[in-house]
Structure formats: C-alpha cells, structure tokens
Amino acid sequence: MIISSWNINSIRIRTKNIEEYIDKIDPDILMFQEIKCEDDKFPYDFFENKKYNCYVFGQKSYNGVAILSKKKLLKIDKSFKDPNKQSRLISADIKISNKLVKLICIYLPNGNPVNTDKYPYKIKWLNNFFDFIKKEINNYDGIIIGGDFNIIPNSNDVENPEDWENDALYRLEIRKEFRKILNLGFKDSFRIFNNEDKQYTFWDYTQGSWQRNKGLRIDHFLISDKILTKIKNVEIDKFTRGLDRPSDHAPIRVIF
DNA sequence: ATGGCTGAGCTACTCAGA
C-alpha cells in the first residue's frame, strides 16, 4: 500500500501535475495540504474519475487539507482545536496488515516572523497537537502523521543551518517540540531509509532554489514504533518539482 | 537585503507562504 503526502499549493490549478503523479505512482491514499479552497470548490469530479473518495477540510484562500482514498474511510475527524480556527488537520481510520491505524494529515503553521503573533500560534498549535496525539495513542495499534510540518528537524536538513537559528522552522524551541512528539513513540520514517544530507521536500520559488538544490526538508511522515516493521520504504518524489507550474513542495511517499 | 516567485481574491493591489 502506498500513502503519499503533498503540500499542493492550490489544488485547483494543480490538477495536471496531480494527474501525472497519479499516473506514475498510483497511490492508494493521497493527503494534501494547502488546497486553498472551500469544500464546495474542491475538484471532486477530477478525483472521483480517478476512483478516489474525497474527504475535504477546506478554507477560503488559505490552508485547507484533504485525504483521498481508493477505499472508503471511516471516522473522518476534523475536530482538532486549532488556536486560530484554521483548517489544518484531518484524520481517518485505516487498516494496515489488520492493524487499526489512525492516519493524520497536518499542515502546521509556519510561525514566521517570530516577533509577531504567528510564532506563539505555532507553539500553541504544537502544544494542542501533542495533547491530541497523546490522547489517541492508546486507542490505536498505530498512528501515522503525514504532512507539511514546517519544521526542519536537523542541521543536515537545510543548507546553512546557522542562518536559520532564529527562524520559526528551525528554532531550537521548535525542534524540541518535534522531538517531544517523537518521544511519544514515533520515528521520522524517512530517516530510517535515507541518511544522506540535502534530502529536501521544499524549494522556494525564488533565487533559483530548485536549480541550485537549496531546499528544506520540512514534509514528514512520523510513524508509530509499533508499526515500523510494516514499512517497506519512504521516498521523496522530487520529479514533481521539475514539472510545469509546480508546487514548491514535493510529495513524500511511504510504502507498506 | 524579509521579498527576487506564486496563488487567491479580485481588478489594483494586498496577504500569505517558508
């Protein structure tokens, strides 16, 4: 089974790229962030033609998340308490090798600039999220958290980490919050299979970042220790970043 | 050099992204 997560930076203008992705990868489940539309503007027809069921938690202009699945999903949950009432988390129950797994799609706040209320919003969001996960752990055989975390976990996940020490994506306080979640019993699953530097999932549209491979690794799959043995591989699908009118993020994909 | 692309919402520009 293949589960992909992709910050799509507007789902309506990206359907051509998504079609290429589906034709090539054929994921069973697709999780999107930054769909940037309200529920009733979501391109349901496009995905239903591709045989996906759509579970959408949209918002006008900004944010918005969705889970698309070839199999029907149960227990769709949009009840996460977002401190600013934004649409950043949707989850559903799935089965992996007969184990009950909670699949969570997140779009974590960016948090910049750090001297504005955006930064405390990110901290508050992370605190609420920690509580949300902690409460669910005992209800499931495993939990999968996929999405755009807006967190650079380690110094080898960015070109010049010293330039990022006061940035909301890399501040020590933020990396500690990330590790706090890991300490609940999760792994940064990509790093189980790939320890190389410069394994980025995001490249800024400006400054020729893609051409010079100056990116960030900020999209992740955190997966419960209890189901790690079920994972065959985790990969970043960089090719999408080279397509026409690309999202600035590439998908991350876990294979069970 | 916090603004050098990009998208939404909208019609001239802001706001947001990371």
Side-chain angles (χ1 to χ4, degrees):
Chain A
M1 179 165 80
I2 295 175
I3 305 176
S4 294
S5 170
W6 193 1
N7 179 320
I8 200 65
N9 187 16
S10 168
I11 200 145
R12 285 175 293 176
I13 61 152
R14 214 69 72 196
T15 48
K16 194 162 179 287
N17 286 13
I18 295 169
E19 183 157 47
E20 279 199 46
Y21 186 75
I22 291 173
D23 289 349
K24 183 165 176 157
I25 303 293
D26 193 29
D28 300 280
I29 297 178
L30 261 164
M31 307 206 291
F32 286 116
Q33 302 86 39
E34 278 205 272
I35 62 172
K36 290 187 171 177
C37 68
E38 291 169 298
D39 290 9
D40 60 347
K41 304 264 174 52
F42 189 86
Y44 295 99
D45 290 347
F46 170 83
F47 287 105
E48 282 162 8
N49 284 336
K50 299 278 180 193
K51 308 296 175 206
Y52 288 94
N53 298 280
C54 304
Y55 307 99
V56 181
F57 186 30
Q59 183 183 329
K60 192 175 183 177
S61 306
Y62 311 115
N63 313 314
V65 287
I67 299 177
L68 310 190
S69 172
K70 287 190 179 172
K71 280 191 188 163
K72 281 207 167 115
L73 300 181
L74 299 174
K75 293 265 180 98
I76 305 300
D77 182 3
K78 311 173 187 180
S79 70
F80 175 72
K81 292 280 176 276
D82 188 291
N84 288 356
K85 299 196 181 340
Q86 299 181 355
S87 302
R88 295 178 176 274
L89 190 155
I90 185 170
S91 66
D93 286 5
I94 61 170
K95 280 272 170 97
I96 293 177
S97 322
N98 225 23
K99 289 185 179 295
L100 179 63
V101 173
K102 190 172 183 76
L103 178 67
I104 306 174
C105 170
I106 66 166
Y107 175 44
L108 231 143
N110 176 299
N112 282 313
V114 294
N115 59 349
T116 66
D117 54 5
K118 293 179 183 212
Y119 188 71
Y121 169 48
K122 183 176 195 172
I123 295 290
K124 179 75 177 146
W125 203 99
L126 279 159
N127 290 337
N128 288 6
F129 186 61
F130 181 85
D131 294 341
F132 177 84
I133 299 298
K134 203 173 172 183
K135 215 185 304 174
E136 294 289 3
I137 276 180
N138 294 324
N139 299 333
Y140 290 90
D141 300 318
I143 296 181
I144 298 171
I145 309 164
D148 177 358
F149 283 66
N150 272 317
I151 296 174
I152 302 165
N154 293 105
S155 57
N156 64 339
D157 295 318
V158 61
E159 192 78 15
N160 297 112
E162 60 278 10
D163 293 344
W164 291 79
E165 274 163 14
N166 199 31
D167 191 284
L169 276 61
Y170 188 67
R171 266 196 174 187
L172 187 57
E173 184 182 25
I174 294 294
R175 282 180 281 147
K176 280 184 173 172
E177 291 292 335
F178 187 78
R179 291 171 204 163
K180 242 176 80 183
I181 299 168
L182 294 181
N183 287 338
L184 287 172
F186 290 89
K187 289 284 182 299
D188 178 356
S189 63
F190 178 76
R191 285 307 189 196
I192 297 171
F193 299 94
N194 188 324
N195 268 315
E196 291 171 42
D197 295 347
K198 304 185 181 188
Q199 300 299 295
Y200 303 136
T201 64
F202 165 89
W203 299 261
D204 199 288
Y205 286 126
T206 67
Q207 301 166 294
S209 304
W210 166 246
Q211 290 76 7
R212 299 187 296 146
N213 194 31
K214 298 238 191 250
L216 308 170
R217 193 173 74 88
I218 53 175
D219 300 87
H220 311 295
F221 266 111
L222 304 195
I223 301 182
S224 297
D225 294 333
K226 286 188 273 186
I227 52 169
L228 288 181
T229 55
K230 309 291 178 197
I231 311 174
K232 293 202 175 73
N233 202 359
V234 180
E235 293 185 60
I236 298 164
D237 293 313
K238 278 175 70 169
F239 75 92
T240 62
R241 188 61 179 79
L243 299 173
D244 279 345
R245 305 295 300 267
S247 167
D248 41 8
H249 294 252
I252 177 167
R253 169 169 47 96
V254 53
I255 305 155
F256 289 98

